[in-house]
Amino acid sequence: MKTITEDILSWSKDVIEKPNEYLGNVPVCPYAAKARQDNALKVLEVKEANKLIDKIVEGTELIKDPKTDIVIVACTDINITIEELSILIDGYNVVFVPQDIYLMASHPYDEEEEEPVEFLESDSWEPDNEFLMVLIQNFDKLERASDIMHKKGYYEKWPQDYYNGTVNKRKSYRRYRHGRHEKTNEKGR
């Protein structure tokens, strides 16, 4: 059986980094391969939900290293609900976005999108472990990368509700980073 870290690295190589037919043969994350190959991807494993908060804080320290592009905190204890995880991450973003750190949660039972997000689905890949993830990145760097992808038309094939739940949600935190309210509800802004 693979470790959580091996599952995440496999997911990156076999799903996220590969050209995706739903996105016009562009990888789901065009930056993932370089981060993995440069060892700029760090994974922190946690087995008990009551230790998740400590690991997230540890991850926010690791992301401050300029050689680190993304920290993924992965927890196999799924006793934390989707709502609890969402509230936790929203609260953390209010604290950490002003420090140029952004957190995004992924819960294995979260299926809130109204439209299928086909580019994230894979019939050929299954993890050995079930886990939730908290992805931690530099806010400004993520914003710049997202702007580049916007200009290339990358988001045009994304379902609107998924776009709102990821890109627009991140944009909603700009006011904490930049001290003003930004437009967040239009695709392409």
Side-chain angles (χ1 to χ4, degrees), residues 119-175:
F119 64 86
L120 290 178
E121 297 173 6
S122 173
D123 292 332
S124 61
W125 185 86
E126 279 292 322
D128 284 357
N129 302 280
E130 184 174 57
F131 52 91
L132 60 84
M133 295 187 295
V134 177
L135 290 75
I136 305 170
Q137 296 175 276
N138 294 103
F139 185 81
D140 292 343
K141 194 175 191 181
L142 186 57
E143 287 270 279
R144 285 190 301 274
S146 182
D147 287 345
I148 289 168
M149 298 312 294
H150 255 294
K151 291 175 184 165
K152 293 181 177 182
Y154 172 77
Y155 295 111
E156 291 173 10
K157 299 193 189 301
W158 280 34
Q160 185 65 47
D161 60 332
Y162 185 72
Y163 180 87
N164 289 338
T166 54
V167 178
N168 282 341
K169 183 169 186 152
R170 184 190 69 245
K171 288 179 180 184
S172 74
Y173 293 106
R174 286 178 176 173
R175 67 185 182 272

Side-chain angles (χ1 to χ4, degrees), residues 98-109:
Q99 300 174 48
D100 191 26
I101 298 170
Y102 181 69
L103 293 85
M104 186 173 79
S106 175
H107 197 289
Y109 305 144

Side-chain angles (χ1 to χ4, degrees), residues 25-169:
N25 289 320
V26 174
V28 172
C29 179
Y31 303 101
K34 182 168 178 16
R36 182 183 51 77
Q37 292 162 357
D38 292 349
N39 291 320
L41 162 65
K42 308 294 181 208
V43 178
L44 300 176
E45 296 184 21
V46 61
K47 306 227 184 294
E48 300 168 28
N50 65 345
K51 296 183 179 168
L52 180 62
I53 290 173
D54 292 338
K55 281 293 180 191
I56 292 170
V57 172
E58 183 181 334
T60 62
E61 289 301 314
L62 287 174
I63 199 64
K64 292 175 184 177
D65 179 347
K67 294 178 185 166
T68 301
D69 289 334
I70 184 167
V71 176
I72 299 176
V73 178
C75 181
T76 55
D77 183 351
I78 317 280
N79 288 324
I80 186 169
T81 67
I82 298 162
E83 294 78 21
E84 291 167 336
L85 184 62
S86 179
I87 290 166
L88 175 68
I89 298 308
D90 285 342
Y92 268 149
N93 277 326
V94 171
V95 172
F96 286 112
V97 167
Q99 300 174 48
D100 191 26
I101 298 170
Y102 181 69
L103 293 85
M104 186 173 79
S106 175
H107 197 289
Y109 305 144
D110 186 2
E111 297 187 12
E112 73 178 26
E113 276 74 41
E114 295 169 13
E115 305 170 68
V117 186
E118 293 170 334
F119 64 86
L120 290 178
E121 297 173 6
S122 173
D123 292 332
S124 61
W125 185 86
E126 279 292 322
D128 284 357
N129 302 280
E130 184 174 57
F131 52 91
L132 60 84
M133 295 187 295
V134 177
L135 290 75
I136 305 170
Q137 296 175 276
N138 294 103
F139 185 81
D140 292 343
K141 194 175 191 181
L142 186 57
E143 287 270 279
R144 285 190 301 274
S146 182
D147 287 345
I148 289 168
M149 298 312 294
H150 255 294
K151 291 175 184 165
K152 293 181 177 182
Y154 172 77
Y155 295 111
E156 291 173 10
K157 299 193 189 301
W158 280 34
Q160 185 65 47
D161 60 332
Y162 185 72
Y163 180 87
N164 289 338
T166 54
V167 178
N168 282 341
K169 183 169 186 152

